[in-house]
Amino acid sequence: MSRIRTAALVGNPNAGKSALFNALTGARQKIANYPGVTVERKAGRITLPSGEPAELIDLPGSYSFDTTSPDEEVTRRVVQGEFPGEARPEVLILVLDAANLEQHLVFAQEVIAIGRPVVVALNMVDLAERDGLILDAAALEQALGVPVVPTVAVRRRGLDELLAAVGEAKMRTDIDGGEAHHGFNLSLPERRLAAKNMARGAILSETSERRLHAGLDRVLLNPWLGPVILFGFLFVMFQAVFAWATPFADALDAGIGALSDGVTAVLPAGLPRDFLTQGVLAGVGSVIVFLPQIVILFAFILMMEATGYMARAAFLMDRMMQGVGLSGRSFIPLLSSFACAIPGIMATRSIADPKDRLTTILIAPLMTCSARLPVYAVIIAAFIPATSVEPGIGLQGLVLFALYVAGIVGAMVVALVLRRSVTAGGASGFIMEMPRYQMPRLRDIGIGLWQRAWVFLRRAGTIIFAATVVLWLLLSFPRAEPGESQVDASIAGTIADGLNVVLEPIGFNREISLALIPAMAAREVAVASLATTYAIDADNEEEEAEGLTETLSGRWSLPTALAFLAWFVFAPQCLSTIAVARRETNGWKWPIFMLVYLFALAYVFAGITYWSAVALGL
Amino acid sequence: MTLENLEAGTAAVISSVDWSVLAPEEGKRLRALGLDEGAEIKVIHRGVFGGRDPLALTIGRMTIALRRAHAAAMQVEPA
């Protein structure tokens, strides 16, 4: 008897596969991409009743082996043993939603017909019972010809029985000496009819269906109430992101500061110490302060997904997004990008269509994220007078609003252009199942949050770390002569001289060119690096901003300041975003495309702003 | 009459589908969800803006969202 090395979960979307996967494997999961595609591979360990461990993989939800998306294609190829480098699973755990049997049995027949050992997990039997549906697992077992185990993943019911059946399924194949079942290739209408009959045969009793579900939809999808509730919810979400994240971000900031002070106290002055404090700690610190925002935002997003509300939000916003060639699925990722593009880009995983998803990733950095605010605040305070245009409408606020609008309009235009060029065609439109409402399980949300935070931190630990070290090297070498400023003498200073030639026509001076280099780590670093460049000594950030406001208003012209603002609407000055885009698109092609087009837009629009302002005599 | 014209709350049977006006992927996805000739459906919600797009309908115990453009390809008969 050979032992089982791999088993796989297969089933329709919304069958509760992920909850079952979490219940079977716990929090220790390995997440990666399948090679060559942007489909997530989730794997974990299970222990069979015999005491032997095996790998369990959670395959993407599918409606059919006649595939319509890269996700479904991965499932088909893995199950049929055609995915290079991926072991063919020895046992398939077919997950069926007990309350949606008739639909799920259509794909189930296709899976069983392959002839691999199959165990059916008749999942969410409790929800089916809540909906007044009592099922006969034995009847279903007879009809399908494979073992059927009733489970409730979120309550850990039926898990031992399921693992026992998995162990036996393999053993039986060994005894049979080959393929366990021989399926017939039925056509889709035939499978549908068979599914209907099997589902009817398995239902012991059925009462009125899904009252709670329909009632909730009547309110949440109501043409008038629905959008009001959605925007109310999103308002709370944004309040939370900004209000709750601040103390944690401040604490992280203080922690990094304390660590830096500690290093300063322990190590003698010199390059190694500067490397640790100004390079490593400052660089990673400037990125890590976004973690609280990202985690809070993702807590809301995962909650929306787990309850089933995400699909409703997509439904409500679909018409609006259609206008720019996207679907309602893109709305929440783009909205999240107003806090930070990183969770926004990671949230695009819920967009089924690959072209829609790519477009959304590419335009996400155009949403005005929170890291731009410190930059905007300093420049607006220095150059825009605090006067009123109309009673109650301040000019400063109006400029800030215009910057937000510029980002949104820019994103819409870019989306329209991309959908007609590089990401044209292929849209499977907006055809989706709306899952039933469910109480979210804290454990599943916790696992999801941990995975997202880990993805971000690993990036902060690798690409971002490497890049900040490079930035530090550029700023620290060669060493300055006594009396000379270090930034001017450094390689970055030399690069700034070159950059200045390019940026001078759009109204930038050498100090700006120099500040833009370290600001590649994160936009808000521009404030600190401008302060360094203008040699402003300050004890805290407020003083720094005040000092900078005064200095800048004396040194920059208004057209230069406006051009600088326009630059930051578009410029992709955020290494974390680039790093996350690389992970989510599985390669360097699209992040580089993103960098190039955003810098080009930034240059053109800063130029237009500068020259218009000069022409207007501002 | 096509599915596109059904008000929320109306039940119907899909009598025929013009697959030629739909992208192949869209057609496959619709068939995979059971939206095919003979399917008994009920429109339960319609969107807020522009022509009340998209639509939500029930088929069996499942709720499916699709756009007017897809619904326009489906001829229906009142149930």
Side-chain angles (χ1 to χ4, degrees):
Chain A
M1 187 184 80
S2 64
R3 61 187 211 91
I4 301 176
R5 284 185 186 82
T6 54
L9 290 167
V10 277
N12 284 52
N14 306 313
K17 259 175 348 83
S18 293
L20 190 59
F21 182 71
N22 285 344
L24 286 169
T25 62
R28 288 175 60 93
Q29 304 175 1
K30 277 205 306 196
I31 309 226
N33 274 327
Y34 283 98
V37 283
T38 54
V39 179
E40 202 160 71
R41 181 184 191 276
K42 282 169 80 177
R45 291 223 144 266
I46 50 171
T47 308
L48 297 169
S50 60
E52 286 172 343
E55 185 184 48
L56 181 69
I57 54 175
D58 185 13
L59 290 170
S62 295
Y63 290 107
S64 169
F65 283 142
D66 190 9
T67 58
T68 60
S69 73
D71 289 44
E72 290 186 332
E73 187 60 17
V74 164
T75 300
R76 185 190 68 76
R77 288 169 71 194
V78 171
V79 166
Q80 301 188 341
E82 291 172 13
F83 205 103
E86 190 69 36
R88 187 174 188 185
E90 284 137 308
V91 178
L92 298 172
I93 303 173
L94 179 59
V95 189
L96 304 181
D97 174 4
N100 209 350
L101 258 190
E102 187 180 326
Q103 174 66 25
H104 288 195
L105 282 172
V106 178
F107 179 52
Q109 294 173 74
E110 261 189 294
V111 174
I112 293 169
I114 286 177
R116 301 291 282 181
V118 171
V119 174
V120 169
L122 189 58
N123 200 21
M124 305 197 275
V125 280
D126 59 333
L127 287 183
E129 277 167 31
R130 188 190 72 186
D131 289 343
L133 199 62
I134 312 288
L135 293 170
D136 182 356
L140 191 62
E141 189 165 301
Q142 198 144 42
L144 288 173
V146 296
V148 174
V149 183
T151 55
V152 181
V154 293
R155 283 179 227 301
R156 314 188 62 82
R157 256 164 57 191
L159 299 186
D160 293 340
E161 293 86 339
L162 185 64
L163 288 175
V166 169
E168 280 164 26
K170 180 64 165 72
M171 247 185 288
R172 206 162 1 170
T173 330
D174 290 337
I175 293 162
D176 289 354
E179 306 289 68
H181 313 284
H182 299 282
F184 303 97
N185 280 323
L186 299 174
S187 71
L188 179 59
E190 286 169 327
R191 281 206 309 277
R192 239 185 240 147
L193 188 64
K196 197 172 201 161
N197 290 333
M198 277 191 278
R200 286 214 178 123
I203 292 170
L204 289 176
S205 74
E206 184 175 18
T207 53
S208 70
E209 50 177 286
R210 304 160 86 184
R211 242 171 289 142
L212 170 75
H213 172 87
L216 271 172
D217 264 350
R218 249 196 300 282
V219 178
L220 296 176
L221 291 184
N222 178 291
W224 307 109
L225 264 179
V228 173
I229 294 171
L230 175 62
F231 281 96
F233 173 81
L234 295 173
F235 181 76
V236 172
M237 174 169 114
F238 267 79
Q239 285 292 315
V241 165
F242 287 103
W244 301 350
T246 313
F248 293 103
D250 288 349
L252 274 173
D253 213 22
I256 298 273
L259 209 60
S260 181
D261 290 346
V263 172
T264 310
V266 173
L267 291 180
L271 270 182
R273 189 176 86 180
D274 287 353
F275 171 72
L276 275 180
T277 56
Q278 295 166 12
V280 178
L281 287 173
V284 172
S286 68
V287 171
I288 239 169
V289 289
F290 293 108
L291 188 63
Q293 265 192 8
I294 292 172
V295 168
I296 293 175
L297 203 54
F298 253 112
F300 278 91
I301 291 174
L302 289 171
M303 201 79 89
M304 285 176 85
E305 271 172 3
T307 52
Y309 188 56
M310 186 62 100
R312 273 74 187 182
F315 183 84
L316 290 171
M317 300 316 299
D318 183 62
R319 188 62 192 80
M320 217 177 82
M321 304 302 293
Q322 244 188 82
V324 294
L326 294 171
S327 86
R329 286 281 190 193
S330 298
F331 180 72
I332 296 293
L334 288 177
L335 189 80
S336 307
S337 302
F338 279 103
C340 180
I342 295 157
I345 288 174
M346 294 202 292
T348 59
R349 293 224 165 219
S350 68
I351 304 172
D353 184 76
K355 298 274 172 65
D356 270 3
R357 178 160 179 249
L358 181 58
T359 314
T360 309
I361 291 175
L362 290 173
I363 64 169
L366 284 168
M367 302 293 138
T368 303
C369 68
S370 58
R372 284 174 173 96
L373 280 175
V375 182
Y376 288 173
V378 165
I379 305 295
I380 288 177
F383 291 95
I384 310 295
T387 52
S388 293
V389 190
E390 295 277 325
I393 303 176
L395 186 59
Q396 293 189 330
L398 202 62
V399 170
L400 184 63
F401 182 70
L403 292 169
Y404 271 86
V405 171
I408 297 170
V409 172
M412 285 167 58
V413 173
V414 170
L416 274 174
V417 172
L418 290 178
R419 287 307 256 135
R420 275 161 185 71
S421 53
V422 281
T423 61
S428 52
F430 182 69
I431 303 165
M432 62 169 192
E433 187 183 340
M434 311 249 259
R436 280 170 308 155
Y437 289 104
Q438 275 184 60
M439 271 308 274
R441 270 248 314 165
L442 278 181
R443 196 178 121 94
D444 290 339
I445 299 216
I447 290 176
L449 266 185
W450 162 246
Q451 286 166 351
R452 262 72 173 196
W454 179 237
V455 162
F456 174 68
L457 286 176
R458 214 172 44 189
R459 291 293 137 183
T462 54
I463 294 185
I464 295 161
F465 173 78
T468 50
V469 168
V470 168
L471 278 177
W472 179 82
L473 288 173
L474 290 179
L475 287 159
S476 306
F477 292 97
R479 304 303 290 167
E481 305 287 329
E484 193 187 5
S485 123
Q486 175 56 46
V487 271
D488 279 330
S490 68
I491 304 173
T494 316
I495 295 175
D497 291 336
L499 213 54
N500 197 30
V501 176
V502 184
L503 295 180
E504 212 176 2
I506 61 166
F508 285 13
N509 53 36
R510 183 166 177 281
E511 284 77 20
I512 297 181
S513 304
L514 194 54
L516 290 181
I517 297 171
M520 272 313 291
R523 292 176 179 90
E524 52 164 25
V525 176
V527 175
S529 61
L530 276 174
T532 317
T533 316
Y534 286 110
I536 291 161
D537 279 318
D539 294 332
N540 58 46
E541 277 169 30
E542 276 123 74
E543 260 181 53
E544 182 183 88
E546 259 173 50
L548 193 59
T549 303
E550 270 173 41
T551 313
L552 290 185
S553 59
R555 299 218 191 179
W556 292 9
S557 68
L558 181 58
T560 295
L562 293 177
F564 189 72
L565 287 176
W567 173 270
F568 269 90
V569 170
F570 298 100
Q573 301 223 274
C574 178
L575 284 171
S576 320
T577 302
I578 307 297
V580 168
R582 198 212 79 86
R583 181 187 185 265
E584 295 298 318
T585 59
N586 218 0
W588 279 111
K589 181 180 162 195
W590 292 110
I592 287 169
F593 176 82
M594 188 158 105
L595 270 173
V596 170
Y597 102 80
L598 285 172
F599 271 129
L601 279 184
Y603 189 82
V604 168
F605 278 91
I608 290 173
T609 308
Y610 180 70
W611 288 109
S612 321
V614 168
L616 289 169
L618 292 174
Chain B
M1 189 160 60
T2 68
L3 180 56
E4 183 192 18
N5 306 319
L6 289 189
E7 289 295 321
T10 327
V13 178
I14 298 176
S15 50
S16 69
V17 185
D18 183 1
W19 298 110
S20 65
V21 300
L22 297 165
E25 302 292 298
E26 292 175 335
K28 268 200 235 174
R29 174 57 57 91
L30 289 170
R31 282 193 294 273
L33 287 166
L35 287 167
D36 205 342
E37 274 173 39
E40 295 165 26
I41 54 103
K42 182 181 177 188
V43 178
I44 50 163
H45 298 283
R46 298 208 52 163
V48 194
F49 318 100
R52 316 231 38 209
D53 197 12
L55 297 82
L57 43 88
T58 52
I59 171 166
R61 287 181 160 256
M62 197 166 52
T63 308
I64 291 168
L66 47 79
R67 284 186 179 157
R68 268 183 68 179
H70 310 126
M74 299 180 180
Q75 290 289 328
V76 290
E77 273 162 24

